[in-house]
């Protein structure tokens, strides 16, 4: 069993065991065609089972059935509404809207399930709602959006339309974030750092070390 680092919604540090994964299949090959990839980096699954993948170096999002049949795509290189510069993380909300970390444009964009543009937020910087390499958004059960702001060493969180709600720092290049695993662990009766927590967020740095505590677990 491996361990991951867990940070609760208020920034509290804990650890939990990572379950083993069972191989079931694969799809994709190198290239630019439908169903091909050049550095697939992020993956998100819709409530209806649709699988979304950020095809990072091809500057696009592709989506598939659960078994890998190609269904559609959107995006190209650029700074426009449906354009990306190295999209990394991706998350799907309960309403099926899709959130993409447009890494080298330092912003979060969101779309309908089939890629119609809905909105965006963020710009380069260190201020509230600004990013320096945003990675791996995740959607909490209350639909708030958590984003690892890697080179600003913090996590910021927002409403579903991008209004700033809060942040915490003290992280060494946070690389990823995931909310659902903590929620499922708590609902399944697991103990997180000796405390029970239904809402939380997993966050890990690039080297998997040096997370810090903040706040108190209730």
């Amino acid at each position: 069993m491996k361990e991951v680092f867990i940070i609760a919604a208020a920034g509290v540090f804990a650890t939990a065991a990572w379950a083993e994964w069972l191989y079931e299949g694969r799809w994709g090959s190198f290239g630019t065609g439908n169903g091909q990839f050049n550095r697939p980096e992020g993956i998100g699954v819709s409530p209806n089972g649709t699988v979304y993948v950020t095809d990072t170096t091809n500057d696009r999002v592709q989506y598939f059935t659960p078994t890998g049949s190609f269904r559609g795509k959107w995006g190209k290189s650029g700074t426009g509404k449906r354009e990306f510069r190295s999209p990394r993380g991706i998350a799907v909300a309960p309403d099926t809207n899709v959130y993409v970390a447009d890494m080298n444009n330092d912003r979060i964009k969101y779309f309908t399930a089939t890629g119609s543009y809905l909105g965006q937020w963020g710009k380069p910087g260190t201020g509230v709602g600004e990013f320096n390499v945003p990675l791996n958004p995740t959607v909490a059960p209350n639909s708030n959006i958590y984003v690892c702001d890697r080179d600003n060493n913090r996590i910021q969180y927002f409403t579903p339309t991008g209004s700033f709600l809060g942040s915490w720092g003290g992280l060494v290049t946070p690389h990823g974030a995931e909310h659902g695993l903590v929620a499922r662990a708590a609902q399944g009766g697991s103990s997180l750092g000796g405390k029970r927590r239904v809402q939380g967020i997993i966050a890990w740095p690039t080297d998997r070390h040096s997370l810090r505590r903040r706040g108190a677990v209730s």
Side-chain angles (χ1 to χ4, degrees), residues 62-76:
Q62 298 191 70
Y63 57 104
F64 306 86
T65 68
T67 55
S69 296
F70 177 81
R71 293 188 59 191
K73 64 184 178 182
W74 72 88
K76 62 180 182 178

Side-chain angles (χ1 to χ4, degrees), residues 52 63 74 95-98 110-118:
Y52 294 83
Y63 57 104
W74 72 88
D95 62 3
T96 73
N97 286 344
V98 180
Y110 59 108
F111 305 86
T112 67
T114 54
S116 295
Y117 175 81
L118 292 175

Side-chain angles (χ1 to χ4, degrees), residues 32 55-63 72-78 80-85 87 100 102 109 111 114-116:
T32 60
D55 188 6
T56 300
T57 303
N58 285 328
D59 290 310
R60 65 186 181 181
V61 172
Q62 298 191 70
Y63 57 104
K73 64 184 178 182
W74 72 88
K76 62 180 182 178
S77 182
K81 291 180 178 180
R82 297 180 78 245
E83 297 174 344
F84 304 106
R85 292 176 58 232
V100 180
D102 189 5
K109 292 182 172 180
F111 305 86
T114 54
S116 295

Side-chain angles (χ1 to χ4, degrees), residues 106 121-132 147 149 152 154-159 162-168:
D106 289 304
W121 70 88
K123 63 180 181 178
T126 61
V128 168
E130 297 176 341
F131 300 110
N132 188 355
V147 182
D149 187 8
N152 284 328
R154 65 186 179 185
I155 290 175
Q156 299 190 69
Y157 56 106
F158 306 85
T159 67
S163 296
F164 177 79
L165 294 174
S167 67
W168 70 84

Side-chain angles (χ1 to χ4, degrees), residues 172-187:
V172 179
T173 58
H175 192 71
E178 174 60 63
H179 192 290
L181 290 176
V182 179
R184 287 196 293 270
Q187 290 164 0

